[in-house]
Amino acid sequence: MDLKAQFQQALAAHQGGNLAEAEELYSRLLAQKPGHAQVTYLLGALRASQGRSAEAVQLLEAALAAQPENPAVLLHLGNALQDQDRFQDALEAYDRALALKPTYSEALNNRGNALAALERFGDALASFDAALAIRTDDAGTWYNRGIALQKARQLEQAVASFDRALALRPGMAEGWNNKGSALLLLKRAADALTSFERALALQPQNSHFRMNRATALQTLKRYDEALADYDRVMTGDPAFPNAWGEAAKAALYQCDWGRRAKLEAELPVRIPAGAKIHPLVLLSYSSDGALQRTCAESALRDAVPQMPAPLWRGEKYRHDRIRLAYLSHDFRTHPVGQQIAPLLERHDRARFEIIAIAGGPPDDSDIRRRIKAACDQFIAVDEDMGHTAARLRELEIDVAIDLGGFTEGSLLTVLAHRPAPVQVSWLGYSGTSGADFIDAILADAIALPASHQVFYSEQIVHLPGSFFPMDTARTSIASPSRKDAGLPESGFVFCCFNHNFKITPPVFDIWMRLLEQIPGSVLWLREGAAETLRREAAARGIAPERLVFAGHVPLEVHHARHRLADLFLDTLPYNAHATAADALAAGLPVLTRLGDSYPGRVAASLVTAAGLPELVTHSADDYEKLALALARDPARLKSLRERLAANRATAPLFDTAALARNIEAACLKLLEKT
């Protein structure tokens, strides 16, 4: 067979997808005619399709040397360079191809991918649009355009672009999956679920698609179905990234205590071995400080794989006022927003310039307006952490306080760029960040004792009295009736408005024994997992209707309805934080138990700072006995309420002005060390 026939045979095998045969034939041809430009090019393209990008680049560069004006060689060279994450080099190859062939739609499309990888999203979209002007019906380009828009957080436009791709190619499973991801980010979980199900119908064994469907199910609070998906993923691959950790989260929210016990037993082995679980989820499972730190450090490595160069390099600022920035996603109708507003209003504005760095979507709530009014500057930022860090450096921030930690939407990783001399964690997350770029964590001696320092990457800095801000100027409205709140007209009301994922079997057992011993009493809980919890109550011999679930109401109504309860019962190992503060502000005594780590000690701090230290117990037995004694002694409970009301004028918990001074003093002391 002559060389031409061999070439045609190799090309036919390549085009027919028989890559092994094509590779053998191309190699045989090159052995007979070394340096043949077209064969070298085709073998390079084949190597690229096999994922052997280093070999592909070498072959394609050799082909290009022989055919410098061949746009197809430049196209495939750009593709191979992209596979090596050499996006700038790939861009140059595509630009050379387009200089030779300006209407090369495939080069325009792939150029858009390289630009998107370089986060030049505007240029990427222009390149995709140029490709689509040539080939409007190219589903792949519409899809890639959607990916770029999604990365740029232009989510509505991303969904529209995915829709164009899917109209042209309904069988594109990745298109349905990525559309679902964009819809999830748009908080359209039901629509996202539909998209993920379309993707799974096309590729039922795709674990990534199933994980995404489980996320949508969790968002819709269909935790049992989410757990089933996670189980199916782990059946196929027990080590599938995040499946175990997400199953742990779903089990918490479902109050699936059998599953919780199994997962809890696995924690000490799985986490040190590298299994992923969200640090915030772990706080509800374990009080082990060493495990919490290991988990936080792992999560931080995932969030910041390569630490950026510091933006602040030791410069000394000489400002008339200390520039104090608070970073949060929650300057809105959210517990952190409600807690921080009164604190901001009480800062010494003669000495401190107060700047809010606000992540998240725009919010026209009263609390956001109040926060804006309390600050010298209120700066809304996007999700580009590097850009936000650069903004902080331009502002010459002296002290940056992160209020989010590992909570949703947190701006913690902004501080990885070290934009400020002093960087602090406070309030929103009750655990270590595991970050060496966070200098200190503000708390008090009860919530976070100095003996816990070994479990914290940050320096523990104690604030006198209390670390928790309270809004003593909160508007109070009349309480709803017991009937309107869904409560019986009479009987003792035990209450816990913590998220129900914080409820553990040992705590629930105590609560059920209390209901058994106090005739006519009810347990008033936050809505969520009602069917599961009522079933658990029945299994313990308690009529399910004695569990009453409080539905969502406006915040001022929620605050007012606390007055219908007789005693707030706390949870462990993760106890009441903002919920304890709300109860105490409403005059409702909070019975808590001192835990072993920060999340389980906050309520003890608040109750003590409110002047009711006798409501802090130190064992499960003492907790149960005191709850029972208080429920049987109305006069004693009335006395506690009266003391709580009187203490609003003098107790540290209610002195937010003093807290502002204490935070300022702590910041100044930390600045002195820089």
Side-chain angles (χ1 to χ4, degrees):
M1 186 183 298
D2 61 20
L3 290 177
K4 184 176 181 180
Q6 289 182 54
F7 177 80
Q8 292 300 327
Q9 183 181 357
L11 187 60
H14 192 169
Q15 292 173 341
N18 191 342
L19 301 187
E21 181 184 349
E23 180 180 4
E24 182 181 346
L25 291 168
Y26 287 145
S27 298
R28 192 182 302 165
L29 281 165
L30 285 175
Q32 296 176 65
K33 192 168 183 180
H36 188 289
Q38 189 68 3
V39 175
T40 302
Y41 152 59
L42 289 168
L43 182 58
L46 185 147
R47 289 275 192 267
S49 67
Q50 293 173 321
R52 296 159 67 178
S53 57
E55 297 171 57
V57 168
Q58 187 176 10
L59 287 163
L60 290 164
E61 285 178 339
L64 186 63
Q67 297 181 335
E69 296 190 358
N70 186 332
V73 175
L74 286 160
L75 171 73
H76 284 91
L77 176 59
N79 297 347
L81 289 165
Q82 280 214 72
D83 288 343
Q84 293 185 311
D85 294 339
R86 294 169 59 185
F87 300 112
Q88 186 60 45
D89 292 338
L91 181 61
E92 292 171 8
Y94 296 134
D95 284 342
R96 286 178 63 186
L98 288 163
L100 295 165
K101 185 179 177 182
T103 59
Y104 203 171
S105 62
E106 193 173 353
L108 285 164
N109 173 56
N110 293 358
R111 178 178 182 270
N113 290 335
L115 287 163
L118 292 167
E119 298 187 351
R120 292 171 54 184
F121 297 116
D123 293 335
L125 291 172
S127 198
F128 290 130
D129 289 343
L132 289 167
I134 298 164
R135 289 186 58 190
T136 309
D137 61 348
D138 190 324
T141 302
W142 282 111
Y143 170 78
N144 290 335
R145 184 176 183 272
I147 294 293
L149 286 162
Q150 190 170 2
K151 288 179 179 176
R153 287 299 190 265
Q154 298 179 43
L155 300 173
E156 294 284 3
Q157 298 95 315
V159 170
S161 203
F162 290 135
D163 281 340
R164 292 292 297 269
L166 292 165
L168 292 163
R169 197 188 303 166
M172 185 192 294
E174 287 287 352
W176 290 110
N177 179 63
N178 281 287
K179 178 185 174 182
S181 296
L183 289 166
L184 262 186
L185 291 169
L186 286 166
K187 311 296 184 185
R188 293 168 55 186
D191 293 334
L193 179 60
T194 300
S195 276
F196 293 137
E197 288 177 340
R198 290 289 298 270
L200 275 170
L202 292 163
Q203 294 184 16
Q205 303 307 315
N206 190 306
S207 294
H208 293 281
F209 296 173
R210 194 166 297 280
M211 283 288 293
N212 286 340
R213 183 174 77 166
T215 300
L217 288 165
Q218 280 217 69
T219 305
L220 293 167
K221 301 183 180 180
R222 292 162 59 177
Y223 301 112
D224 53 344
E225 296 171 74
L227 272 170
D229 268 350
Y230 294 132
D231 284 342
R232 183 164 173 181
V233 169
M234 288 187 286
T235 297
D237 181 359
F240 192 90
N242 299 320
W244 177 78
E246 288 301 309
K249 179 181 176 182
L252 272 185
Y253 280 87
Q254 180 65 11
C255 292
D256 185 338
W257 292 334
R259 183 63 173 269
R260 177 192 173 115
K262 178 179 180 294
L263 289 160
E264 194 169 333
E266 296 172 354
L267 293 172
V269 175
R270 280 187 176 263
I271 291 176
K276 306 298 183 184
I277 184 172
H278 195 284
L280 187 59
V281 173
L282 179 62
L283 298 185
S284 292
Y285 272 95
S286 174
S287 297
D288 185 327
L291 206 59
Q292 290 173 3
R293 180 167 180 173
T294 297
C295 180
E297 289 170 345
S298 173
L300 190 68
R301 285 193 297 272
D302 290 341
V304 189
Q306 184 172 355
M307 202 59 63
L311 297 176
W312 177 77
R313 297 182 177 87
E315 298 89 345
K316 297 292 184 182
Y317 301 144
R318 297 288 184 266
H319 304 141
D320 293 336
R321 296 184 292 165
I322 301 298
R323 294 181 183 173
L324 176 56
Y326 289 92
L327 284 69
S328 180
H329 182 267
D330 299 320
F331 292 139
R332 55 191 172 94
T333 304
H334 181 278
V336 169
Q338 291 144 13
Q339 293 151 20
I340 198 68
L343 184 284
L344 296 174
E345 291 166 344
R346 288 164 174 80
H347 270 306
D348 182 351
R349 302 289 279 280
R351 300 174 65 207
F352 288 83
E353 181 179 350
I354 307 303
I355 301 164
I357 305 297
D363 181 303
D364 192 37
S365 63
D366 290 341
I367 199 69
R368 192 175 181 95
R369 285 192 290 272
R370 184 177 169 189
I371 291 169
K372 284 183 177 181
C375 295
D376 294 280
Q377 295 187 62
F378 185 96
I379 301 171
V381 296
D382 58 24
E383 296 185 16
D384 186 331
M385 299 298 170
H387 180 266
T388 300
R391 186 75 184 275
L392 264 67
R393 178 62 185 85
E394 290 168 7
L395 290 166
E396 294 190 349
I397 298 299
D398 292 295
V399 181
I401 299 181
D402 171 59
L403 302 176
F406 287 106
T407 58
E408 183 180 0
S410 168
L411 302 180
L412 172 65
T413 55
V414 168
L415 301 184
H417 297 261
R418 178 55 76 172
V422 173
Q423 302 186 161
V424 176
S425 172
W426 174 59
L427 188 62
Y429 179 73
S430 55
T432 183
S433 65
D436 60 6
F437 55 80
I438 299 295
D439 304 305
I441 182 168
L442 305 182
D444 61 43
I446 295 176
L448 188 52
S451 59
H452 291 197
Q453 181 63 71
V454 66
F455 306 129
Y456 281 75
S457 56
E458 312 87 345
Q459 175 193 351
I460 296 173
V461 173
H462 286 154
L463 302 174
S466 174
F467 79 100
F468 203 94
M470 294 283 285
D471 189 1
T472 54
R474 177 187 293 171
T475 302
S476 179
I477 65 171
S479 303
S481 68
R482 287 175 67 121
K483 181 180 179 181
D484 288 342
L487 296 168
E489 290 299 330
S490 61
F492 194 92
V493 178
F494 294 105
C495 161
C496 181
F497 287 148
N498 292 354
H499 279 290
N500 291 342
F501 69 76
K502 295 183 179 182
I503 301 173
T504 60
V507 169
F508 193 75
D509 288 342
I510 291 172
W511 292 353
M512 295 304 99
R513 289 195 293 269
L514 291 171
L515 292 182
E516 183 180 17
Q517 295 176 80
I518 304 297
S521 63
V522 295
L523 177 62
W524 197 14
L525 300 172
R526 186 180 185 135
E527 64 181 354
E531 182 180 344
T532 301
L533 291 169
R534 283 183 167 140
R535 184 173 63 247
E536 293 289 348
R540 290 160 174 79
I542 299 299
E545 60 269 20
R546 293 181 69 185
L547 271 60
V548 179
F549 290 87
H552 181 76
V553 294
L555 188 61
E556 63 273 13
V557 177
H558 174 63
H559 289 155
R561 69 183 173 184
H562 280 77
R563 293 192 289 269
L564 301 176
D566 295 294
L567 181 64
F568 188 109
L569 298 174
D570 199 11
T571 52
L572 204 71
Y574 198 146
N575 59 32
H577 296 187
T579 45
D582 285 342
L584 293 166
L588 176 61
V590 174
L591 175 63
T592 189
R593 177 180 157 201
L594 187 67
D596 295 325
S597 65
Y598 188 178
R601 302 174 68 91
V602 171
S605 165
L606 301 182
V607 169
T608 302
L612 301 176
E614 65 267 43
L615 292 181
V616 180
T617 62
H618 297 268
S619 71
D621 188 52
D622 288 344
Y623 172 91
E624 183 172 356
K625 286 178 179 176
L626 185 52
L628 187 60
L630 290 171
R632 287 173 169 170
D633 191 343
R636 185 178 177 187
L637 201 53
K638 181 174 181 288
S639 174
L640 286 169
R641 282 183 176 273
E642 290 171 348
R643 279 176 53 205
L644 181 55
N647 288 351
R648 287 177 65 89
T650 58
L653 181 63
F654 303 104
D655 193 349
T656 305
L659 176 59
R661 300 291 85 75
N662 293 336
I663 289 174
E664 291 164 2
C667 290
L668 288 170
K669 191 170 182 179
L670 288 165
L671 265 176
E672 289 172 2
K673 297 179 181 179
T674 61

